[in-house]
Amino acid sequence: MRKLMLVLFLLVSISFIFAGGADEKSQAGSTPAAVEEVVTPDTLPRDQTLYWNGLQWGSINGYNPISDDMNNFVVSRQAYGTRITTFETLYMFNFLTGELVPLLADGPPVWNAAGTEVTVKIKKAAKWSDGIPVTAEDVAYTWETALKVGNANGNSNKPYIASVEARDTLTVVVKPVLNAEGTPKNRLMVDLYLSQEYVVQKAWIQALEAKTGGDGAEMKKDAAENVVYSGPYGPYFADDQKVVLVRNDNYWGQDASMWGKLPAPKYVAHTIFSDNAAGQVAFKSGEVDVSQQFNSNVQDMWLKEGLPISTYYEEAPYGVSGSIPTAYFNLNVSGLDNVNVRKAIAMAVDYDSIIANAMTNQSPTFEQVPRSTMNPTPGEQGLYNQDEIAHLQFVGNDIAGAAALLDGAGIVDTNGDGIRELNGENLSFNATCPNGWTDWMAAIELVAAAGDKIGIEITSLFPEWSVYQTVVTQGYQDQYEIIMMWTDGSSPTMPWGRVRQLMSSEYVGTDGNWSGNWGQYSNPRVDEIIAAIPATSDPDELKALYTEANEIYLTDVPSFGLMYRPNCFEAVNESVWTNYPNAEDGKNIPPGDLIHGYSIAGLYEIELVN
Amino acid sequence: MKHLLQQILQSGKFLTGFIIFLFILLLMIFYPMINPGDPLQTISIGTFAPPGTYVSMYDALDTELNVFKLDNAALNRLDSVLKPEDRVEMIMWFESAGVKVDVTLNDTEALLAAWNEYYDSSIQPSGMTKAKRNYYKRLNDNITRMLATIPKVIAKISEESGELVEVRQIKSTDYINTNKVANVFNLPLGTDNFGRNVLKELASAIKTSLLIGLIAGSVATLIGLTLGLVAGFLGGLIDDFIMFITNIFTVIPSFVLLILISYSIGQEQRGAATVAVVIGLTSWIWTARAVRSQVISLRNRDHVNLSKLSGHSFFRIMVADILPYIASYVVMALILQISAAILAEAQLSMLGLGPKTTEVPTLGLMMKWSMLYSAHLNGYWWSYFPVILTIALISFSLNLMNTGLDQVFNPTLRD
């Protein structure tokens, strides 16, 4: 027996030694350059580095700008401002003012008189990181590639953009898809295209095609480690702990025709935190400069803890609201197909509590900004006639009103179990959002609580995001009944895009639906309005259309907004860098974490704390 | 029986544990009586109102006044906004703004005079961060407010003209007696992230958690006891089979099993009772093994053999001849199971696999939401620390009672 144990012990020890040895060997096998890099990113000089949190979760897959699957905060198309540290767009969207600011483009886009094409000039100074000038050919070829490989750029713009051509080296002509009258089907989408899509170097794409044999799927899979880019920062280091970009000191943007100088930080880095709490600890201690996390009660950081932290606005809501997280009623579910049930639930929810509790007041209330399909920004609010639909704009927590509505519709509790019935069935629903999305979870809890008060049983359900997203984006699902999803943030297409997202029947029954109308609402009149708005330029007509759309939205209640939310959160810790854009500086640089669209201008403004 | 009780109550450990437990029970029973209503009701808008006494400002305005001339009132008022570190910061501001003043930290009057003279929010000293400038602005607002001796005016909006009409003036010497204000209430433990009264929620959560413990403990003990009795008494193939199953469960970590079962049940079905049963179903193993070995040592005793010879049924032998001998052990095991089940619920809830929220509060759910709102990072101690303390005390008291009982019943441990 003892011998047997000895033999066993020896075997185990030997296997451990082998395992350890193999490990060492594999490390020695990698290139010496990689070993060197592992050292440097750990010792980034703090006074030359800007750190983010809340933009990157998990390690990156690569830097490929024609792929949608890089899980890389650098490669991220956003309607409210594409991230342009590494790859650049023709225009930068400023969600504060709604303007398109030229980046690679020279001057504003010029429409011809007939409205059949728009011309964009490329800046002479614009160059790629390998020194080759950016040309119109690059823009045209990027579009061709987008169509060929079928990425998000191609798929989402194809219905609106007929062609992107190079007229000469520096002139791009974009031809929109025209409708029967010979006018552009949707001008707004052309503006979105110009400010949202990266321009990628033609030569680099061709090299990639040669490498992959031109196979679209393979091209999208490529990690593109040696990618050519035009932005101020290029890839430097990435692992499962952080992603670091380094400034390209030959960046074309230091030309007087653009920024006139280089951005202040030599490195920009994103530490990958395990969760919000870890990110918050790092942010408070000054290890993170710009936080795109939801920091609950952010004001406590300076009021109570005296930390050198500030936000765009000094007072609540601290940021610029851009989207409306919304609960969609699943109309495939019996009970929720009844408008009175929907409206009663929406009326009973205590939105003030949601905003105070879930958003810790980082949102205006529905009394301050009455509910509609519009953002709280003055521009959007002015686009509809508020007086006309004021009687429909419920403010919430109206238990008596909701109960009366249900009683009036004959939806009552007949069997005395405390739950109302409709057609003999108890009204019992689940309300759902992804697990771990704290503010959403709190909102869903308050929706569930509202149901209890009016005799409708609502239980909260928090599946993991991976499960949640598969179910919600299905063309038909009756698993989730009250579904929390977002509306897109500010963009050149808003608020038309939001009306479409909330109510357009084009999304009904489509699988892989990431676009909107997750409750499968359908109304022919709304579809007409959605088609008419982008072709309308008369302000009065436009206002009438938006007002009617909102009237239908608030009458049919296919979904209801729960709060207003910024496009992105931004709080800055001024331990190392200061002079971040804020509401008082009069520069109109939006609080977009110095990375989204025109907010990148902030990188040229910040300076070191003395 | 009387003697037994006396013995138990003489055990210091048992008594201490019992008193702690009783205290928790009293809190659970009496607090909801003093403060009835739904424990999950949101009472405050906003998150984490700190513990303290809250006085309705609206009602206070209509309360009868008393005038007090107190020497230190102005000083207290100033101290509430001007901490020593603020004074240092004020001097720092003079320096960075390039203002030459000759004041010392403790000379409050001179410091404030200089501040009022020189501070200007539009000055932006170079290198001063936005956060710092905001700080000075707030400090200045506070100082100006606190130094003002002019009365404050309460006005109401006239229904006819829509203009402001003065209702009353409040001077710095006006006081009210809080006993006379209509709405004054105390929140001993403040509110949580949903704006609920934490103490009320805690009292209700203790009830749920004890119930979960009791159900889970009973289920586990019942299963363990039955299997142990059958296996130990019958022996042979049945014993082998039961032990085979038990051994399989022994090597599977029960918490992993618990997680898997809870996950597959799905959130909608996970009420407090379901979770309790699941916990019970995964924690019977050690009871079964221990009962079995005790029964094996009992089954060949003379009185058992006598019963067998008398033709008594299996059931009767179990109840009359075996159970009384292991009853003390089973009770102690039950106590430990209860304590373990309460902890298991807390652990499950922290993982998001506990009972669904909004129906009943449990200790685990209270901690989970505190954690989701980073209460531990932001210093909202009242939302999680009392919960942790309660769990610890319940567990501690139950274990203490168990040890006390052990000392009484276990001959080898008797003093």
Side-chain angles (χ1 to χ4, degrees), chain B residues 125-388:
Chain B
S126 69
M128 188 181 282
T129 63
K130 179 81 170 62
K132 204 85 209 180
R133 290 205 304 272
N134 289 348
Y135 160 79
Y136 283 119
K137 222 190 285 177
R138 286 194 303 272
L139 182 66
N140 183 55
D141 288 349
N142 284 338
I143 291 174
T144 331
R145 204 174 60 236
M146 289 304 164
L147 283 183
T149 47
I150 47 166
K152 291 184 181 170
V153 173
I154 303 296
K156 69 171 181 186
I157 300 168
S158 156
E159 280 174 19
E160 292 138 29
S161 60
E163 282 170 4
L164 287 177
V165 182
E166 184 178 316
V167 177
R168 82 193 278 183
Q169 292 197 356
I170 299 179
K171 300 190 194 69
S172 59
T173 49
D174 290 351
Y175 287 78
I176 50 160
N177 187 331
T178 50
N179 290 333
K180 292 188 179 162
V181 181
N183 282 304
V184 179
F185 64 95
N186 195 283
L187 285 179
L189 292 177
T191 68
D192 69 357
N193 62 299
F194 289 108
R196 302 161 174 167
N197 182 342
V198 173
L199 185 56
K200 202 159 148 186
E201 211 181 337
L202 186 65
S204 171
I206 291 172
K207 203 196 242 162
T208 325
S209 288
L210 282 179
L211 205 66
I212 289 177
L214 210 60
I215 296 176
S218 310
V219 169
T221 310
L222 203 68
I223 298 175
L225 185 63
T226 318
L227 290 181
L229 282 175
V230 172
F233 190 74
L234 293 182
L237 202 62
I238 296 179
D239 182 23
D240 284 348
F241 179 71
I242 293 179
M243 275 304 107
F244 172 69
I245 304 283
T246 314
N247 283 335
I248 289 180
F249 274 96
T250 318
V251 292
I252 304 174
S254 61
F255 195 65
V256 172
L257 203 61
L258 188 55
I259 289 175
L260 291 176
I261 298 178
S262 306
Y263 189 77
S264 53
I265 286 177
Q267 197 169 18
E268 281 182 86
Q269 275 72 40
R270 269 201 317 263
T274 325
V275 170
V277 172
V278 173
I279 294 173
L281 285 178
T282 54
S283 53
W284 50 268
I285 298 107
W286 290 105
T287 316
R289 291 177 73 107
V291 168
R292 172 181 169 270
S293 49
Q294 297 230 3
V295 174
I296 288 176
S297 82
L298 280 169
R299 73 174 173 199
N300 288 323
R301 297 257 180 105
D302 291 345
H303 72 281
V304 180
N305 283 332
L306 253 173
S307 271
K308 277 187 194 165
L309 286 175
S310 313
H312 286 160
S313 67
F314 168 76
F315 188 71
R316 177 161 170 193
I317 297 175
M318 284 294 139
V319 176
D321 300 325
I322 303 234
L323 261 185
Y325 288 85
I326 55 170
S328 62
Y329 175 78
V330 173
V331 170
M332 288 191 288
L334 175 67
I335 292 179
L336 284 187
Q337 298 273 23
I338 292 176
S339 147
I342 291 172
L343 290 178
E345 185 274 328
Q347 287 170 320
L348 272 186
S349 294
M350 290 294 279
L351 291 176
L353 293 170
K356 54 189 165 183
T357 332
T358 64
E359 293 194 344
V360 282
T362 72
L363 295 170
L365 285 173
M366 288 179 78
M367 286 208 293
K368 178 194 165 194
W369 280 101
S370 296
M371 192 182 70
L372 283 178
Y373 268 74
S374 311
H376 53 306
L377 297 179
N378 297 321
Y380 310 128
W381 57 268
W382 55 90
S383 77
Y384 64 92
F385 190 71
V387 185
I388 295 173

Side-chain angles (χ1 to χ4, degrees), chain A residues 17-71:
Chain A
I17 291 167
F18 268 104
D23 216 359
E24 271 168 37
K25 215 177 191 176
S26 71
Q27 273 176 13
S30 57
T31 58
V35 173
E36 222 175 76
E37 275 190 356
V38 172
V39 182
T40 342
D42 285 338
T43 51
L44 292 178
R46 187 66 184 89
D47 59 356
Q48 291 178 37
T49 316
L50 181 85
Y51 284 93
W52 279 292
N53 75 14
L55 299 167
Q56 176 82 42
W57 303 97
S59 42
I60 63 164
N61 299 332
Y63 298 89
N64 190 341
I66 60 168
S67 168
D68 309 308
D69 188 32
M70 287 291 112
N71 189 35

Side-chain angles (χ1 to χ4, degrees), chain A residues 421-603:
Chain A
E421 292 100 40
L422 178 63
N423 304 329
E425 268 182 62
N426 267 356
L427 289 177
S428 169
F429 309 107
N430 62 46
T432 173
C433 80
N435 191 24
W437 296 26
T438 326
D439 47 334
W440 283 30
M441 285 163 81
I444 284 293
E445 290 295 351
L446 289 162
V447 171
D452 287 346
K453 286 182 199 153
I454 55 168
I456 295 176
E457 187 185 40
I458 302 179
T459 39
S460 54
L461 179 64
F462 304 123
E464 291 306 314
W465 167 243
S466 53
V467 181
Y468 186 80
Q469 51 124 340
T470 352
V471 176
V472 168
T473 55
Q474 282 165 10
Y476 179 92
Q477 63 91 9
D478 51 11
Q479 232 173 313
Y480 301 160
E481 301 176 325
I482 299 172
I483 311 155
M484 190 157 171
M485 283 294 266
W486 51 76
T487 63
D488 286 339
S490 316
S491 86
T493 66
M494 292 297 161
W496 168 80
R498 205 172 296 108
V499 174
R500 178 182 176 211
Q501 187 168 35
L502 290 168
M503 293 189 284
S504 174
S505 69
E506 71 195 284
Y507 306 127
V508 173
T510 44
D511 275 321
N513 170 22
W514 283 97
S515 309
N517 195 7
W518 289 281
Q520 316 282 322
Y521 173 76
S522 160
N523 181 333
R525 178 58 196 147
V526 174
D527 290 339
E528 280 170 34
I529 297 174
I530 292 170
I533 290 174
T536 309
S537 49
D538 178 51
D540 289 337
E541 214 175 304
L542 209 55
K543 200 167 184 174
L545 285 171
Y546 275 125
T547 310
E548 190 185 347
N550 270 284
E551 191 178 349
I552 296 173
Y553 180 65
L554 293 171
T555 311
D556 281 1
V557 203
S559 60
F560 56 105
L562 293 164
M563 53 183 127
Y564 297 104
R565 193 184 161 94
N567 292 312
C568 49
F569 291 99
E570 183 190 284
V572 295
N573 187 321
E574 293 173 283
S575 306
V576 178
W577 300 96
T578 184
N579 206 21
Y580 291 95
N582 61 67
E584 285 159 32
D585 61 15
K587 289 176 188 151
N588 266 335
I589 300 175
D593 296 305
L594 294 78
I595 190 171
H596 293 111
Y598 185 60
S599 75
I600 203 168
L603 281 181

Side-chain angles (χ1 to χ4, degrees), chain A residues 48-290:
Chain A
Q48 291 178 37
T49 316
L50 181 85
Y51 284 93
W52 279 292
N53 75 14
L55 299 167
Q56 176 82 42
W57 303 97
S59 42
I60 63 164
N61 299 332
Y63 298 89
N64 190 341
I66 60 168
S67 168
D68 309 308
D69 188 32
M70 287 291 112
N71 189 35
N72 188 335
F73 77 108
V74 165
V75 191
S76 180
R77 308 155 61 247
Q78 306 282 350
Y80 60 87
T82 291
R83 297 178 191 163
I84 47 175
T85 43
T86 300
F87 304 102
E88 295 184 310
T89 49
L90 288 169
Y91 291 89
M92 297 176 278
F93 182 60
N94 180 346
F95 64 76
L96 210 55
T97 58
E99 286 169 340
L100 298 184
V101 184
L103 180 60
L104 287 173
D106 195 6
V110 181
W111 286 87
N112 66 353
T116 54
E117 59 175 53
V118 61
T119 311
V120 175
K121 287 272 180 195
I122 305 278
K123 280 205 180 76
K124 274 202 192 94
K127 285 195 179 55
W128 297 103
S129 54
D130 58 6
I132 298 171
V134 178
T135 64
E137 267 302 312
D138 293 320
V139 183
Y141 202 74
T142 308
W143 174 244
E144 262 174 54
T145 310
L147 291 180
K148 197 176 89 180
V149 302
N151 60 15
N153 174 4
N155 293 341
S156 62
N157 292 310
K158 197 162 46 179
Y160 309 98
I161 290 177
S163 72
V164 179
E165 290 156 17
R167 179 160 295 162
D168 59 48
T169 341
L170 293 179
T171 314
V172 182
V173 178
V174 179
K175 290 194 175 145
V177 171
L178 304 178
N179 53 22
E181 295 94 60
T183 53
K185 189 170 158 196
N186 195 328
R187 273 191 191 216
L188 301 170
M189 294 302 288
V190 178
D191 283 349
L192 184 63
Y193 165 79
L194 294 176
S195 66
Q196 185 175 254
E197 307 305 344
Y198 293 122
V199 176
V200 188
Q201 193 191 41
K202 181 177 179 180
W204 180 80
I205 299 177
Q206 282 170 334
L208 182 63
E209 280 170 340
K211 184 177 158 194
T212 57
D215 178 60
E218 287 297 316
M219 282 170 73
K220 283 198 282 184
K221 250 187 248 162
D222 195 274
E225 311 261 295
N226 300 316
V227 71
V228 179
Y229 53 93
S230 63
Y233 292 91
Y236 177 65
F237 175 81
D239 65 2
D240 55 356
Q241 307 284 314
K242 60 176 147 190
V243 184
V244 184
L245 305 178
V246 63
R247 190 174 59 201
N248 171 11
D249 285 343
N250 296 319
Y251 174 52
W252 69 268
Q254 52 195 312
D255 187 84
S257 63
M258 192 60 231
W259 306 104
K261 57 180 170 181
L262 285 171
K266 164 92 179 157
Y267 302 94
V268 289
H270 195 303
T271 314
I272 298 166
F273 295 102
S274 61
D275 53 21
N276 257 352
Q280 195 179 338
V281 171
F283 177 56
K284 281 189 186 179
S285 66
E287 288 167 32
V288 166
D289 299 296
V290 181

Side-chain angles (χ1 to χ4, degrees), chain A residues 291-309:
Chain A
S291 173
Q292 196 288 129
Q293 287 186 183
F294 170 62
N295 296 305
S296 58
N297 291 313
V298 66
Q299 73 283 4
D300 283 358
M301 291 187 186
W302 61 84
L303 286 182
K304 296 202 177 137
E305 297 175 53
L307 297 172
I309 286 172

